[in-house]
Amino acid sequence: MKGKFITFEGIDGAGKSSQHAWAVEHLRSKGIDVVSTREPGGTPLGEKLRGLLLSESMHLETEALLMFAARREHLAQVILPALSRGAWVLSDRFTDASFAYQGGGRGLELAKLQQLENWVQGTGSDAIQPDLTFIFDLPVAQAQERRNGTGTAPDRFEQEKLDFHERVRSAYLARAAEFAHRIRVIDARHTVADINNLLEKEIASLC
Ligand code: TYD
């Protein structure tokens, strides 16, 4: 793979989507070919699955399977072709979100998620993994306040109670400790400008 793969993660309301948009523009301003994408979604089929995932109630395993089905399509149609032509792929969420939300939040066994990850992303040195992941971290109550301030209707995940989001947050931090070589935890209480600077430095280390 010639390109670089960067993912943006965190609980809802931590500000990852605006930082994702900033990083896309930052890299494009340097003349880099950037593919800006998101999960669940990123392809026509994936966006349809996203619509279902964010609105329909379903068994927790169905939810995990659909997340990975959308991811399989995303890898085939968007991520892998872009990386092989040398583009940078910046995705607003990827597999760490499945471990955080379906694993931490919903309580699905991590071994089952690991099986899906192995199936969809491969194993060993050929496995597709992000080169760099940012986890935007914020106390849950603060994230909820930020979300309430946006005035948009909460989706099925955003409607979950505080303890669900606490488990998601803890699962993200556990992932960061386990995969410290690629995951950077960003304190989302910093100013936007400070966070932009941190991102700029981390991204520069990949160039
Ligand atoms: P998000 O892009 O954060 O939505 P928004 O439009 O509100 O910024 O993601 C949608 C939701 O999907 C989010 O609450 C987390 C959830 N999600 C999972 O539960 N598992 C996953 O694997 C992914 C990629 C997302």
Side-chain angles (χ1 to χ4, degrees):
M1 290 298 159
K2 293 180 286 171
K4 300 287 180 194
F5 184 23
I6 308 180
T7 58
F8 293 72
E9 300 280 0
I11 56 171
D12 297 277
K16 72 177 167 50
S17 298
S18 18
Q19 291 297 331
H20 170 258
W22 178 84
V24 167
E25 288 315 312
H26 169 71
L27 285 167
R28 282 185 180 152
S29 75
K30 295 187 169 305
I32 293 174
D33 178 6
V34 180
V35 172
S36 169
T37 190
R38 69 170 180 181
E39 288 203 351
T43 65
L45 176 63
E47 291 295 327
K48 286 186 184 164
L49 293 172
R50 178 188 179 92
L52 294 172
L53 282 159
L54 297 193
S55 62
E56 301 289 323
S57 55
M58 59 185 80
H59 189 277
L60 81 168
E61 292 189 355
T62 310
E63 186 177 284
L65 287 162
L66 289 181
M67 290 290 178
F68 275 94
R71 185 162 298 134
R72 183 67 191 91
E73 195 66 14
H74 194 203
L75 280 161
Q77 303 292 340
V78 176
I79 299 175
L80 297 177
L83 292 175
S84 42
R85 75 165 193 263
W88 288 44
V89 176
L90 270 57
S91 187
D92 188 341
R93 299 195 186 281
F94 191 63
T95 299
D96 293 309
S98 301
F99 280 87
Y101 283 81
Q102 282 64 55
R106 302 260 190 248
L108 180 60
E109 296 98 301
L110 299 187
K112 288 191 173 164
L113 289 166
Q114 190 60 58
Q115 281 181 315
L116 293 176
E117 181 186 328
N118 292 351
W119 186 9
V120 167
Q121 289 163 242
T123 53
S125 56
D126 289 340
I128 305 297
Q129 292 294 347
D131 296 294
L132 181 62
T133 296
F134 295 110
I135 293 180
F136 295 88
D137 183 54
L138 194 65
V140 168
Q142 259 176 277
Q144 196 130 38
E145 267 172 43
R146 288 190 186 180
R147 261 197 345 259
N148 293 342
T150 64
T152 53
D155 63 37
R156 203 163 65 81
F157 294 97
E158 290 165 340
Q159 284 165 18
E160 290 290 341
K161 298 204 175 60
L162 280 184
D163 61 331
F164 174 90
H165 295 284
E166 293 287 4
R167 291 195 301 276
V168 172
R169 184 185 184 201
S170 305
Y172 266 132
L173 295 177
R175 296 282 288 175
E178 188 175 353
F179 302 104
H181 61 283
R182 73 167 166 88
I183 300 183
R184 304 286 171 266
V185 177
I186 306 284
D187 184 340
R189 291 169 303 182
H190 288 311
T191 64
V192 169
D194 283 349
I195 296 176
N196 293 165
N197 285 337
L198 277 169
L199 259 56
E200 189 172 355
K201 283 198 195 96
E202 291 291 347
I203 290 172
S205 70
L206 285 185
C207 292

